[in-house]
Amino acid sequence: MFSKEEIAQRIAKEIKDGYYVNLGIGIPTLVANYIPKGINVVLQSENGLLGMGPFPFEGEEDADLINAGKQTITTLPGSSIFDSAMSFGMIRAQKVDLTILGAMEVSENGDIANWKIPGKMVKGMGGAMDLVASAKNIIVAMQHVNKAGESKLLPKCTLPLTGVKCIKKIVTELAVLDVLPEGGFKLLERAPGVSIEFIQQSTAGRLVVEGEILEMRLD
Amino acid sequence: MINKVVSGAEEAIRDIADGATLMLGGFGLCGIPENCINALVKKQVKQLTCISNNAGVDDFGIGLMLQQRQIKKMISSYVGENAEFERQLLSGELEVDLIPQGTLATRCLAAGYGMPAIFTPAGVGTEVAEGKEIRNFNGKDYLMEYAFDADFAIVKAWKGDTAGNLMFRSTSRNFNPVMAMAGKITIAEVEELVEAGELDPDHIHTPGIYVHRIFQGKDYEKRIEQRTVRKSAVG
């Protein structure tokens, strides 16, 4: 079974040279630590920055320079700054190559729910609805099952939706899966030591298993 | 040239009355108009509708106005960091309209560009789409969202000149330029106010035509919401 760091590490393998990438809050943020050496990737922060760098050294924090998670960050050579409308303009116009975000639920037709639990305090969707509605390539980093052991990969989402038919790939602590255009989760890889039977039990939506399913590799 | 320079926040917000609709620039606590927020708290105007990406924290930013129960309605994309906000929301004292962040920014942009509405895919198929017109372009559905109509836009810039031209610094730019374009009356507080002619016209982010009142702010706290650092390379 994969840790959060290992989920991030596996997702990082999907990033290609020259990509502009938007990372959501949580596990997606960790992906930045595992971007393969030797490739050039530009991170977009939707509050208005391309070329997000690492956290500043202590004492060098700048209150005017934060990411979308409101954390102090740095710029890099080649960075650019812009306003919020342009930031979502480049997202809507599909200039951003890859969006990585978390989810509470994903359905077998690619719907995603990640912003609201009825009856609990609603904090808002932030930029998530804009990102999922427009991104051409979205990878979801999520836990396969909730704390009660219930599947979060469902025939149909039960929570209010963030976007419809938009998710194509999911990486969980158990598996890597594609969402098929005709519906269903296609199992691509399994985490080390995790059986197909266990993944099947943990997936409430339709799971498609074809051929040999190899263990995920992180190197 | 019309004199846009006012003495300070109190004069800048002098005619903001109960029930007004305000836009407030900033992302989290970054780039918020601290001086004007403090003046609005002091003035005790009430029943305000505030359009702002976030709602501050309990004891800073828009949170200060919430504490004084000055806000009737918030239009925001993310409001997570504020316990008083949560209390007023759950008790029904506060109305909240949560909208996608890109929709929020683009509805400002539309107002500043003189366009009555925009079409965006954000929210299609979700509860955000309820009651809204949907149009299909090239096989994809889009929601029609209206340009904002705000009485006042209150923004914070890094530098400004007496003609109202503004320059922003780093990611404190965020919503400020698009809100500056969108207010019927736009108020800009700046860290440094200079004479017209001192800023390079090529470096202006917001042309002064959009700005009606400008002043040099003071005592900026610029609070950091999430201070994240890494260890020095030399240990």
Side-chain angles (χ1 to χ4, degrees):
Chain A
M1 210 176 283
F2 273 153
S3 66
K4 286 179 181 176
E5 282 73 18
E6 287 167 324
I7 294 173
Q9 213 174 336
R10 175 61 190 81
I11 290 173
K13 288 175 67 179
E14 302 289 322
I15 298 176
K16 296 185 172 63
D17 194 21
Y19 265 17
Y20 291 95
V21 181
N22 181 290
L23 301 177
I25 292 162
I27 299 174
T29 306
L30 301 172
V31 174
N33 301 332
Y34 300 107
I35 291 168
K37 293 267 183 300
I39 71 169
N40 184 28
V41 172
V42 179
L43 299 179
Q44 199 244 21
S45 191
E46 67 266 23
N47 57 319
L49 168 65
L50 275 168
M52 179 169 69
F55 295 149
F57 290 120
E58 201 163 353
E60 293 177 7
E61 309 93 295
D62 179 349
D64 288 339
L65 181 52
I66 63 168
N67 64 17
K70 286 124 187 167
Q71 296 171 312
T72 47
I73 46 151
T74 55
T75 55
L76 294 169
S79 287
S80 56
I81 305 271
F82 35 87
D83 65 57
S84 299
M86 186 180 282
S87 182
F88 284 94
M90 64 184 69
I91 288 166
R92 220 178 284 120
Q94 302 197 328
K95 305 297 179 187
V96 177
D97 298 290
L98 175 63
T99 291
I100 301 169
L101 76 174
M104 298 173 187
E105 293 177 350
V106 174
S107 75
E108 63 187 34
N109 71 343
D111 295 353
I112 177 172
N114 74 351
W115 76 283
K116 182 176 184 180
I117 302 174
K120 288 203 176 162
M121 170 61 188
V122 179
K123 296 190 169 194
M125 65 291 281
M129 283 195 184
D130 306 273
L131 283 159
V132 300
S134 294
K136 54 190 168 193
N137 191 5
I138 306 173
I139 302 177
V140 167
M142 66 187 292
Q143 299 295 322
H144 213 104
V145 295
N146 64 19
K147 288 192 181 99
E150 296 159 343
S151 180
K152 295 162 74 167
L153 277 61
L154 305 170
K156 203 167 179 293
C157 291
T158 63
L159 296 169
L161 295 180
T162 308
V164 295
K165 292 184 186 160
C166 51
I167 306 305
K168 295 188 178 71
K169 191 178 277 295
I170 303 166
V171 180
T172 75
E173 76 281 20
L174 303 182
V176 181
L177 312 104
D178 269 353
V179 177
L180 295 170
E182 68 273 21
F185 300 106
K186 183 171 169 44
L187 182 60
L188 301 178
E189 300 168 22
R190 57 199 171 84
V194 174
S195 69
I196 292 170
E197 291 68 33
F198 189 73
I199 294 167
Q200 180 73 69
Q201 283 167 28
S202 306
T203 307
R206 189 170 78 94
L207 186 73
V208 177
V209 185
E210 284 171 1
E212 192 187 359
I213 308 298
L214 298 175
E215 288 193 351
M216 278 193 246
R217 291 167 61 96
L218 295 177
D219 52 356
Chain B
M1 191 184 289
I2 302 163
N3 183 23
K4 299 185 176 187
V5 179
V6 293
S7 58
E10 285 74 19
E11 190 186 347
I13 63 147
R14 63 189 180 266
D15 50 354
I16 297 182
D18 290 357
T21 297
L22 312 181
M23 283 178 171
L24 293 142
F27 186 97
L29 301 179
C30 182
I32 59 171
E34 293 182 25
N35 282 223
C36 284
I37 290 171
N38 291 337
L40 286 164
V41 171
K42 200 169 149 205
K43 190 175 159 75
Q44 286 294 309
V45 277
K46 300 217 185 285
Q47 295 291 105
L48 299 172
T49 295
C50 292
I51 301 165
S52 174
N53 189 53
N54 313 93
V57 295
D58 274 318
D59 60 346
F60 198 61
I62 292 175
L64 298 171
M65 292 163 69
L66 286 163
Q67 269 183 21
Q68 301 296 316
R69 296 186 175 75
Q70 293 174 271
I71 301 174
K72 178 184 70 175
K73 182 177 182 181
M74 281 297 312
I75 301 173
S76 303
S77 86
Y78 190 83
V79 293
E81 323 297 339
N82 193 318
E84 176 60 17
F85 183 98
E86 184 171 350
R87 193 197 63 73
Q88 290 185 23
L89 179 62
L90 295 174
S91 70
E93 290 166 61
L94 180 68
E95 229 182 294
V96 179
D97 195 1
L98 292 169
I99 63 175
Q101 196 172 129
T103 301
L104 179 64
T106 314
R107 289 175 68 188
C108 295
L109 189 80
Y113 273 37
M115 300 182 295
I118 59 155
F119 289 94
T120 176
V124 168
T126 76
E127 62 183 54
V128 166
E130 282 167 20
K132 288 177 185 161
E133 184 176 337
I134 292 176
R135 287 277 297 273
N136 189 286
F137 297 95
N138 304 317
K140 183 167 175 168
D141 284 341
Y142 294 79
L143 295 184
M144 188 167 78
E145 299 273 11
Y146 292 103
F148 280 124
D149 183 16
D151 301 314
F152 294 88
I154 304 175
V155 303
K156 151 80 183 8
W158 176 42
K159 289 184 181 179
D161 68 20
T162 52
N165 296 307
L166 304 178
M167 288 169 65
F168 301 90
R169 181 176 177 275
S170 202
T171 58
S172 70
R173 191 183 315 187
N174 57 59
F175 281 86
N176 283 301
V178 286
M179 288 186 170
M181 295 192 305
K184 284 198 197 75
I185 293 175
T186 290
I187 297 166
E189 54 174 87
V190 301
E191 288 180 53
E192 188 185 350
L193 181 64
V194 300
E195 287 298 320
E198 288 186 37
L199 301 179
D200 183 341
D202 274 331
H203 292 170
I204 302 298
H205 295 127
T206 297
I209 191 168
Y210 286 114
V211 176
H212 305 88
R213 300 171 193 169
I214 190 166
F215 67 94
Q216 183 167 310
K218 57 185 182 190
D219 303 330
Y220 282 104
E221 180 179 335
K222 291 198 183 185
R223 193 183 293 187
I224 292 174
E225 210 164 328
Q226 304 278 345
R227 186 179 298 274
T228 45
V229 296
R230 65 187 146 138
K231 288 210 172 69
S232 163
V234 288

